[in-house]
């Protein structure tokens, strides 16, 4: 089947055919892998940050692959691509996966035996010389899904990384990372915090630090507000540097947002100036560092807090060469406002599904 037979009306956010699931999965998988390589090559992150970033990206890729298997032959349910400035699956899709796998044992016990299903496949293909029904294909996909997908690897709303010793030359003694999926803008974020610790032992305070991060730094907000919230709730922790990566929007033919880059690509696809698999990925990296300290509170509740410098906000666009040319031609005001010239990544070429 040619990819030109794929129909994605602008008023629909559903993926409702096998070709669309395969096509969309290939696009997201390709773009995220390009991002990992590009971030490292262009030194957008430190070596240790890239290691953590790749782990979170792998969880995202794993979850999207699980969605592909889950919905491939399901005629009743359809995966949703978010309508906001995202281009990623709707957050509820991740939630459905996580909850669905909580009942994994119940479903596994109801699945048809693999050997029995294999016999039915062979009988249909070899003796009857006919195609396997979508019902049988859905049963096979369900077996793969419920017997191979692990709940612990599904990208959750908040994913906590470990506290480790900060690399040499960092502004703090320790560092940690976390990732969250903001429900409002429906995009994944990856955060890093470098900090000093003034308590007795870091091991005794890890769970408290993790809990504060989960309740205070689990959504998109001004970075200095996030930093102050963390600092105020953790008296023994002295944050020195917080970095946040906003992953997206992912501009592609399935995106339905109001973003100017998305619309420029969609208009060019409609005019057949660029192929259907054209894409771009926006990336924003925000940094805030501590400049000095100040004391807050009364005599019996005095607390030393960090005085944060003005956050530094940098925007990037990653795209193949043809799309970079297109954006310079149609949206020069966006391209000229980036932290650095658009970063070229590989073309995605899909001719058959």
């Amino acid at each position: 089947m040619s990819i030109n037979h794929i129909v994605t009306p602008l008023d629909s956010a559903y993926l409702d055919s096998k070709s669309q699931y395969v096509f969309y999965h290939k696009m997201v998988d390709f773009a995220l892998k390009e991002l990992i390589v590009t971030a490292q090559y262009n030194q957008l992150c430190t070596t240790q940050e890239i290691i953590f970033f790749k782990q979170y990206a792998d969880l995202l890729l794993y979850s999207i692959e699980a969605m592909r298997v889950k919905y491939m032959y399901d005629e009743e349910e359809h995966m949703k691509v978010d309508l906001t400035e995202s281009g990623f699956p709707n957050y509820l899709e991740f939630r459905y996966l996580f909850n669905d796998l909580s009942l994994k044992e119940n479903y596994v016990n109801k699945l048809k035996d693999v050997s029995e299903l294999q016999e039915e496949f062979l009988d249909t293909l070899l003796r009857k010389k006919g195609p396997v029904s979508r019902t049988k294909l859905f049963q096979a996909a369900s077996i793969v899904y419920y017997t191979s997908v692990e709940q612990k690897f599904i990208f959750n709303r908040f994913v906590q990384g470990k506290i480790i010793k900060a690399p040499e030359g960092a502004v703090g003694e320790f560092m940690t990372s976390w990732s969250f999926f903001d429900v409002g803008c429906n995009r994944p974020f990856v955060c890093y915090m470098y900090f000093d610790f003034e308590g007795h032992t870091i091991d005794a305070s890890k769970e408290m630090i993790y809990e504060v991060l989960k309740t205070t730094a689990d959504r998109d907000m001004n970075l200095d507000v996030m930093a102050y919230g963390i600092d105020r709730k953790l008296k023994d922790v002295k944050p020195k540097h917080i970095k946040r990566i906003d992953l997206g929007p992912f501009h592609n033919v399935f995106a339905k947002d109001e973003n100017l880059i998305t619309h420029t690509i969609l208009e060019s696809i409609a005019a057949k100036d660029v192929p259907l698999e054209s894409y771009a990925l926006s990336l924003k990296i925000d940094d805030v560092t501590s400049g000095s300290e100040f004391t807050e509170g009364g005599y019996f509740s005095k607390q030393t807090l960090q005085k944060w410098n003005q956050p530094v906000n940098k925007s990037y666009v990653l795209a193949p060469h043809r799309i970079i040319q297109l954006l310079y031609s149609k949206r020069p005001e966006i391209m000229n406002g980036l932290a650095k010239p658009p970063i070229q990544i590989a073309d995605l070429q899909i001719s058959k599904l």
Side-chain angles (χ1 to χ4, degrees), residues 7 9-10 16 18 24 29 38 62 123 131 152 175 216 242 249 252 270 339 342:
V7 178
L10 290 177
D16 56 8
K18 176 183 176 181
Y24 179 75
D29 183 82
T38 300
Y62 183 90
D123 183 63
K152 64 182 179 180
M175 79 168 290
T216 306
I242 295 180
N252 63 85

Side-chain angles (χ1 to χ4, degrees), residues 74-311:
D74 191 345
E75 296 181 339
E76 297 181 359
E77 300 290 339
H78 303 294
M79 195 181 87
K80 303 176 188 68
V81 175
D82 198 77
L83 287 170
T84 59
E85 293 196 10
S86 167
F88 291 102
N90 189 284
Y91 165 70
L92 289 177
E93 296 295 343
F94 294 92
R95 193 71 244 167
Y96 292 152
L97 277 183
F98 192 84
N99 293 341
D100 194 30
L101 292 169
S102 298
L103 304 172
K104 182 175 180 177
E105 293 304 319
N106 295 341
Y107 290 114
V108 168
N109 295 331
K110 296 178 182 178
L111 294 175
K112 182 169 285 192
D113 184 78
V114 175
S115 59
E116 181 183 347
L117 195 61
Q118 286 177 335
E119 287 295 327
E120 292 178 2
F121 272 45
L122 292 173
D123 183 63
T124 300
L125 294 170
L126 300 180
R127 188 177 69 82
K128 298 179 180 178
K129 308 294 183 182
V132 177
S133 68
R134 288 188 65 87
T135 301
K136 298 298 181 185
L137 291 172
F138 178 61
Q139 290 178 349
S142 296
I143 291 173
V144 174
Y145 171 70
Y146 286 113
T147 57
S148 63
V149 178
E150 296 288 339
Q151 186 191 55
K152 64 182 179 180
F153 296 130
I154 298 300
F155 196 98
N156 217 326
R157 196 179 70 82
F158 185 87
V159 183
Q160 179 65 60
K162 294 182 178 180
I163 294 173
I164 64 170
K165 279 281 190 180
E168 186 176 349
V171 295
E173 182 184 0
F174 298 96
M175 79 168 290
T176 189
S177 65
W178 65 96
S179 182
F180 62 86
F181 207 95
D182 187 273
V183 180
C185 61
N186 203 84
R187 295 196 300 270
F189 291 73
V190 177
C191 302
Y192 309 96
M193 181 173 74
Y194 298 85
F195 63 96
D196 291 330
F197 182 74
E198 296 183 351
H200 294 296
T201 62
I202 189 70
D203 289 336
S205 300
K206 282 183 178 180
E207 292 306 316
M208 181 175 64
I209 294 173
Y210 295 154
E211 183 60 29
V212 167
L213 292 177
K214 185 176 181 180
T215 57
T216 306
D218 64 336
R219 65 191 71 88
D220 185 19
M221 65 180 79
N222 291 336
L223 198 58
D224 51 348
V225 174
M226 176 192 287
Y228 175 76
I230 295 170
D231 190 20
R232 194 167 183 274
K233 291 183 179 182
L234 294 169
K235 293 185 177 181
D236 292 333
V237 172
K238 305 299 177 187
K240 296 299 180 183
H241 177 201
I242 295 180
K243 180 176 183 176
R244 181 181 64 201
I245 303 174
D246 178 359
L247 180 53
F250 175 40
H251 314 282
N252 63 85
V253 70
F254 294 103
K256 311 294 187 292
D257 57 57
E258 299 297 324
N259 189 282
L260 292 176
I261 294 179
T262 301
H263 271 269
T264 301
I265 292 175
L266 289 178
E267 289 168 1
S268 298
I269 290 174
K272 299 189 183 300
D273 293 331
V274 296
L276 189 63
E277 60 266 40
S278 298
Y279 74 102
L281 188 64
S282 289
L283 195 72
K284 290 180 282 294
I285 300 180
D286 301 331
D287 281 273
V288 66
T289 56
S290 169
S292 58
E293 296 182 342
F294 69 98
T295 302
E296 182 181 80
Y299 185 79
F300 294 104
S301 59
K302 195 174 292 186
Q303 184 178 357
T304 300
L305 300 171
Q306 306 300 305
K307 185 174 182 180
W308 297 98
N309 295 322
Q310 186 70 21

